[in-house]
Amino acid sequence: MPTLLLFLTLLLYPLPAFSACDLRSVEFVRKDVLIFGGGSSGTYAAVKLRDSGKSVMIIESKRTLGGHAETWTDPLTGYTIDAGATVFPPVKRVKDYFSRWGVELSKARAKVDQKYVDFETGIEVNFQPTDTEDFEAALRLYENQLDKHPGLKNGFNLTDPVHPDLLLSFRDFIEKYKLQDLASTIFRINQGLVPLLDVSMLYVFKSLNKDQLLALRNNYLTTSRHNIRALYQKIADFLGPNVLLDTRVIDISRSTDREYDHRVLVNTTKSCRTILAGQLLVTMPPLPNERSTFPLLGRERDLFDKFHAGGYYSAILKKHRT
Ligand SMILES: *[C@@H]1O[C@H](CO)[C@@H](O)[C@H](O)[C@H]1NC(C)=O
Ligand SMILES: *[C@@H]1O[C@H](CO)[C@@H](O)[C@H](O)[C@H]1NC(C)=O
């Protein structure tokens, strides 16, 4: 167990780059927006910013764009499987985005086999999912509550004082509005919000939003050819040299004066580079070690210190016939 823990810890906390760049030979490039993180949100932001005429650059520590949207190819059969982010709400924004990059979507299977297992004992738990009618009734109750907070639709436009329901824990909210029939589904959809029962409703509402309700009532979409990786390959081609993969941030100096650019020194596999950027967009998770290179201003530090990272594992198992 300690070995496993150590291994996971190392995976989660990659070591920072220590060696110094030769600053005399560093190449400079200027961009309107520099995006930290080439996962789904960073990539989407880059495309939208490019569409609106901004120059952008993404820096990503992994070898590919896409973050948790992975495709695994079976080396024996060539069969592919998506893992991580695999289903998407059936909204126009999603359909347009995939169709632009030529990646076909179709309805995800509505019913998947699920087993509930106690991870401490490995024993299956006898759990009866809620029947459809009760579930739909609970969904309507939930939606009525969600609709009371239109400021969460785009961003976090909160009232002052903040609506007291948003400060309730998920546990207290379920009790208050008798939403027990929704609990197990919300648990499935809000993976990564941990520990879910203690998370405040502000974040549950952001995660289980209108798009998700639509998907729950109709269907999620998924890639027809199990090739989510292709989407990110196409976008990487589109962005070309404006994507720096395998890249670490070595130093950031932020401008507090709007007239001057932020300076970010990075190390790619080939060379060190300095990017002068009008704006910085941070899309990677706010883990303390990731943040260590970030010179945060006082109020930002107070804010970011309140975040904690959640996550979950997704795995592909291969069944051998004997
Ligand atoms: C935030 O909400 C207020 C109303 O509470 C509204 O007047 C304002 O335009 C909203 N701001 C944004 C950025 O949506
Ligand atoms: C830059 O990265 C390469 C490997 O990717 C490494 O060998 C080199 O030491 C790094 N340089 C700096 C200045 O971090």
Side-chain angles (χ1 to χ4, degrees):
M1 198 62 188
T3 328
L4 178 67
L5 274 180
L6 180 64
F7 176 64
L8 292 176
T9 312
L10 288 178
L11 270 185
L12 288 170
Y13 297 94
L15 299 169
F18 282 116
S19 44
C21 294
D22 179 0
L23 290 172
R24 284 160 304 179
S25 61
V26 165
E27 210 186 309
F28 277 81
V29 35
R30 187 182 290 273
K31 297 289 165 191
D32 293 326
V33 184
L34 175 64
I35 302 171
F36 293 93
S40 181
S41 50
T43 307
Y44 185 79
V47 170
K48 295 305 266 187
L49 287 164
R50 271 284 287 263
D51 288 352
S52 66
K54 302 272 187 214
S55 61
V56 297
M57 182 168 266
I58 296 181
I59 47 181
E60 164 59 45
S61 62
K62 293 209 297 183
R63 280 206 180 112
T64 50
L65 291 181
H68 298 300
E70 314 259 5
T71 300
W72 181 78
T73 307
D74 183 339
L76 288 182
T77 60
Y79 186 80
T80 57
I81 296 179
D82 287 345
T86 57
V87 292
F88 312 94
V91 294
K92 185 166 182 303
R93 205 163 59 249
V94 168
K95 292 177 191 166
D96 289 350
Y97 190 55
F98 277 80
S99 121
R100 172 171 176 181
W101 306 107
V103 175
E104 195 189 312
L105 290 174
S106 44
K107 282 189 173 190
R109 274 169 60 204
K111 287 263 173 270
V112 287
D113 296 333
Q114 292 187 35
K115 284 208 165 115
Y116 294 85
V117 175
D118 183 335
F119 265 43
E120 302 227 316
T121 61
I123 296 172
E124 197 171 337
V125 179
N126 183 14
F127 174 77
Q128 293 298 325
T130 319
D131 70 43
T132 317
E133 247 173 64
D134 292 344
F135 173 71
E136 278 167 9
L139 210 55
R140 280 193 298 277
L141 286 176
Y142 174 87
E143 188 167 24
N144 290 341
Q145 294 308 318
L146 176 63
D147 287 343
K148 289 184 183 163
H149 310 284
L152 296 182
K153 191 154 180 269
N154 294 308
F156 289 85
N157 187 10
L158 300 175
T159 53
D160 185 8
V162 173
H163 192 293
D165 278 358
L166 297 180
L167 304 176
L168 288 180
S169 67
F170 180 48
R171 182 196 316 271
D172 292 342
F173 185 82
I174 292 179
E175 294 279 338
K176 180 170 173 186
Y177 293 102
K178 313 260 178 301
L179 292 173
Q180 286 82 354
D181 287 337
L182 212 56
S184 70
T185 304
I186 296 191
F187 181 75
R188 202 148 50 75
I189 292 179
N190 286 1
Q191 289 168 352
L193 282 186
V194 287
L196 181 62
L197 289 174
D198 299 326
V199 170
S200 67
M201 281 311 293
L202 173 62
Y203 297 107
V204 177
F205 277 141
K206 283 301 284 183
S207 174
L208 189 66
N209 54 27
K210 285 283 205 191
D211 292 353
Q212 301 288 347
L213 295 185
L214 186 74
L216 281 175
R217 290 195 172 116
N218 299 281
N219 232 324
Y220 280 94
L221 295 173
T222 191
T223 51
S224 308
R225 297 198 185 84
H226 325 287
N227 62 340
I228 185 76
R229 177 66 55 233
L231 178 85
Y232 291 97
Q233 191 50 57
K234 294 264 176 62
I235 300 174
D237 294 345
F238 169 74
L239 295 171
N242 297 308
V243 178
L244 300 183
L245 299 171
D246 249 335
T247 297
R248 313 250 154 231
V249 174
I250 296 177
D251 189 43
I252 304 176
S253 47
R254 288 177 55 184
S255 158
T256 44
D257 179 339
R258 298 220 74 185
E259 299 221 356
Y260 294 95
D261 287 329
H262 307 291
R263 268 165 189 270
V264 179
L265 179 65
V266 301
N267 181 22
T268 70
T269 44
K270 292 193 213 97
S271 62
C272 289
R273 287 217 217 171
T274 294
I275 302 138
L276 299 173
Q279 285 180 293
L280 305 177
L281 176 62
V282 181
T283 70
M284 70 219 196
L287 295 172
N289 68 303
E290 303 269 9
R291 277 172 31 207
S292 59
T293 19
F294 273 85
L296 293 176
L297 308 175
R299 284 183 60 195
E300 293 170 340
R301 189 174 304 281
D302 289 349
L303 178 68
F304 281 102
D305 279 348
K306 294 193 175 71
F307 283 113
H308 69 106
Y312 63 98
Y313 293 90
S314 98
I316 297 169
L317 303 181
K318 186 163 178 173
K319 190 167 154 189
H320 287 276
R321 247 180 258 274
T322 47

